[in-house]
Each structure stands twice: as structure tokens, then as C-alpha cells.
Amino acid sequence: MTLSTDSGGTVPALDGPTAALVRQSARITAGSEEEIRAGFAECLAAKVSQRWQEELVLQSYLFAGFPRALNAAREWRRSQAASGQAPSGETRGAAGGGQQAHAAERRSGQALVDGPHEGYADVFEWRERGEETCAVVYGEFYEKLRGNIRALSPALDEWMIVEGYGKVLSRAGLDLGRRELCIIAACAAGGQDRQLHSHLHGALNAGVSAEVVRAAIGALDGVVPHEALSRALLLLARVVGKE
């Protein structure tokens, strides 16, 4: 099955919009509401696409928790209103199409993950997509990861694949390389070094070069404490040394 997340795409260089998105990921994870608000203003100035910003907000609940994701969503909507930006296609569809549009999509065979609606009837597709995406991120360590998580909790293993990698990280709208860079920023900001180590590998496995990963960590200067940045760069050096 082919992933619909643009997962094969790479990030050839850390352009301005990608750098702003990565910085905002760190703010959503550990910043104040004022800092998150300023981050969306930075995204606007850097011309970060609304779809990228929406995907960042949606995936943030996996790494920052639902309360921070909701706060980020509120600030993002405020930034849209202040700048005169229209809501994304997903939001317009949810507001205007309702259940009739949802049913029409199902009758037409359109995948809900690519359209304006989602529903838990898609759980089997999410599992398949999640297994594929997680296998890309973890590479040769994928089977070991699954075994370790199952040993901790079979429920967490299922949620990780279906909810995390399937429903969220396999969405269209933001390629896997940029998603991984944003996850690196979230883990660095949140002090989650074990997961940071995994997703440094993940970014490389998704096709992002070590130079771009290093630049993304450097872009967090002023957003993430220097001690955390130093740890992230040290971990990256170890990861690259093992490649």
C-alpha cells in the first residue's frame, strides 16, 4: 500500500517556512500562549502554508498533550482571523458538508484521510498505514520497537500504531521528513531525550540529511534552552556516527 503522506519526500534544505514551522513545534510543546501566538505571527511572515500549520497543530497532541494542542488550535484560529486567512479545506468541509458529505465520500470510495472528514470506521486502514510509516521511521529497529512496546503494554503498542502513526502521522498535507523535524523540536523542547534519539534516526530514515537535521536544531536557538540544544546536537553526532 502506498502512503499518502508524501512520506517519500525529503527536505533538501532548511528553507524559511520549514524553519518557522520547526520553531513553532517547540513553542507549542513548551512555550507560553504569548510565545505560541508570536510563533504563528512568525509563520505568517515566513509564508508557512496554512495546511502545514494545521498539520503541526493536529500532530502536537501526540507530543505535547491535548491541552496544549487545543491552546495551539485556538491561537492558530486567532492568527487566521487577524490575517484574514480563510479556514483550510478540511475545516470548511466539516462546517459545510456535515454528514451528507461524509456519506457521499464513503459512497465514492474517497479515502477520508485525504478528505474533509475522518471516522473510526477507518481504523483498519490507519493500522496498515501506521505500520508502514512507523517502519520507515524506525527502519531496522522497527521489530525491536514493537516488541519493546508490547512488553510495556499491548494497548500502547496498538495506540502507537493506529492512533499515532496511522491516524495522525500518515495524514496528507505535510511530508514525513518535515513531520520528523517538528517532532525533533518537540522532543528537544520537552526534554524527552529518549524519544529525541529515536526521531533523530527517524528524520534520517525519512530521507532528511544530517546537515538539514543539524540546521533544524540550530533554528531552535532562542526558543529552546541552550542546554537542550547542546544535548540534541550531541545525540545527533552519535546517531550520525552509527549510520
Side-chain angles (χ1 to χ4, degrees):
M1 181 178 178
T2 302
L3 293 175
S4 62
T5 57
D6 306 322
S7 60
T10 60
V11 186
L14 192 75
D15 53 71
T18 301
L21 193 74
V22 167
R23 287 165 60 85
Q24 185 64 343
S25 179
R27 292 189 184 96
I28 290 173
T29 301
S32 66
E33 289 189 11
E34 290 77 14
E35 289 168 334
I36 293 171
R37 191 174 305 130
F40 281 122
E42 180 181 329
C43 286
L44 177 64
K47 301 187 186 308
V48 180
S49 79
Q50 290 294 317
R51 184 64 187 275
W52 283 12
Q53 293 181 62
E54 181 173 28
E55 290 302 318
L56 172 62
V57 169
L58 292 175
Q59 81 172 38
S60 68
Y61 89 87
L62 295 174
F63 307 97
F66 230 93
R68 279 190 168 272
L70 291 174
N71 288 342
R74 182 175 62 250
E75 295 301 334
W76 177 59
R77 287 301 186 209
R78 287 176 175 173
S79 75
Q80 282 187 311
S83 63
Q85 296 277 355
S88 72
E90 177 165 330
T91 305
R92 285 197 303 269
Q99 293 300 315
Q100 290 182 347
H102 189 142
E105 285 169 4
R106 287 203 173 280
R107 287 193 297 271
S108 70
Q110 180 179 348
L112 296 184
V113 289
D114 294 330
H117 302 285
E118 292 182 353
Y120 277 88
D122 298 301
V123 65
F124 296 107
E125 182 178 353
W126 291 344
R127 182 178 292 110
E128 184 178 355
R129 293 161 63 87
E131 288 172 344
E132 292 185 7
T133 299
C134 189
V136 171
V137 170
Y138 280 87
E140 62 182 305
F141 301 110
Y142 171 69
E143 294 298 340
K144 182 179 179 180
L145 167 79
R146 296 297 303 276
N148 289 342
I149 301 301
R150 287 190 198 103
L152 292 175
S153 167
L156 284 177
D157 177 65
E158 178 77 355
W159 297 349
M160 174 184 73
I161 293 299
V162 175
E163 184 84 6
Y165 283 97
K167 189 183 83 170
V168 180
L169 298 180
S170 291
R171 286 173 56 89
L174 184 62
D175 62 89
L176 187 57
R178 286 183 174 83
R179 286 189 186 276
E180 284 296 307
L181 292 178
C182 289
I183 294 168
I184 287 169
C187 291
Q192 300 297 329
D193 287 357
R194 189 181 300 274
Q195 284 70 36
L196 173 60
H197 181 266
S198 296
H199 287 284
L200 289 168
H201 277 288
L204 299 176
N205 289 339
V208 183
S209 71
E211 290 74 19
V212 171
V213 175
R214 190 174 294 109
I217 295 171
L220 298 174
D221 189 24
V223 178
V224 171
H226 287 291
E227 181 180 339
L229 293 183
S230 296
R231 290 200 308 272
L233 289 171
L234 180 60
L235 281 173
L236 176 62
R238 292 175 180 171
V239 167
V240 172
K242 294 178 180 178
E243 292 292 317

